Amino acid sequence: EPFENLPPGHENQLTRALLLVLRLSPIAHGAWLARVAAERRLIDLPEPEYVTQQREIKIEADPDEPVPLVSVFLTPAAGFDDSAVVQAATRGQVLDAIITYPGELVVVVENKIAAAENWQAANINITGVAVDIGAGQKPTTVLWPDLLADFNAILERQLVGGAERAVVSD
């Protein structure tokens, strides 16, 4: 309920709605995962845990076996520094979303509803957390129009109930 006083178009509301869709629709979650970690399949991962608006990544992992981290920059349009590389930072942060597949994968999301730089998605404070950022790893960019097109395709193909009533517009 911490977001109840925010306007419907606020990025926190949109992040919350995205997590709700992922939680309620495995097929939508699979489409999301195909964009953020294409080599992973939802069926092979443990049940995900979702948090929003959190400063720290809180996972239990063996420091000798760090969990891969994917940093996602969710944005309406391209036009940012596509050479940015994900790196450990000591900055104060509030991550828009964290999706944890315990012991397998951590996905952090920086969501924007207007054109912005991907600096936050490239600089993640992982202090004290056993996660692995691959050498030269770039933030994974997901464009909102592409993700909404994926979700619309799922609805239009009637792969989830209620498709005749709910088609998302750009």
Side-chain angles (χ1 to χ4, degrees):
E1 312 326 331
F3 311 111
E4 65 187 10
N5 294 327
L6 296 174
H10 191 278
E11 69 184 38
N12 292 352
Q13 290 282 35
L14 192 55
T15 303
R16 186 174 180 205
L18 172 64
L19 295 184
L20 184 61
V21 168
L22 300 183
R23 203 181 290 225
L24 295 176
S25 174
I27 196 162
H29 195 138
W32 159 261
L33 198 59
R35 289 204 176 268
V36 303
E39 71 285 355
R40 302 295 189 124
R41 293 178 352 135
L42 186 60
I43 196 165
D44 296 329
L45 293 169
E47 185 172 339
E49 300 168 359
Y50 307 88
V51 294
T52 59
Q53 299 300 299
Q54 188 164 309
R55 293 184 186 282
E56 300 172 351
I57 301 168
K58 297 178 183 176
I59 62 167
E60 292 185 27
D62 181 346
D64 294 329
E65 295 183 32
V67 176
L69 179 131
V70 173
S71 180
V72 175
F73 183 53
L74 188 55
T75 181
F80 44 82
D81 181 5
D82 62 358
S83 69
V85 174
V86 179
Q87 60 187 353
T90 57
R91 73 178 181 93
Q93 67 188 4
V94 176
L95 298 165
D96 292 330
I98 304 170
I99 306 168
T100 305
Y101 306 87
E104 293 291 325
L105 182 66
V106 175
V107 177
V108 296
V109 179
E110 180 60 37
N111 179 22
K112 297 296 180 194
I113 59 172
E117 289 298 318
N118 60 351
W119 181 87
Q120 290 173 308
N123 293 275
I124 307 297
N125 188 333
I126 58 169
T127 304
V129 182
V131 293
D132 178 43
I133 299 171
Q137 177 180 327
K138 295 183 177 197
T140 300
T141 301
V142 176
L143 300 180
W144 269 114
D146 296 341
L147 186 60
L148 292 176
D150 291 347
F151 292 170
N152 267 337
I154 291 167
L155 289 171
E156 289 170 355
R157 293 183 61 204
Q158 299 182 4
L159 299 173
V160 294
E164 65 281 353
R165 296 184 310 273
V167 174
V168 181
S169 62
D170 292 340

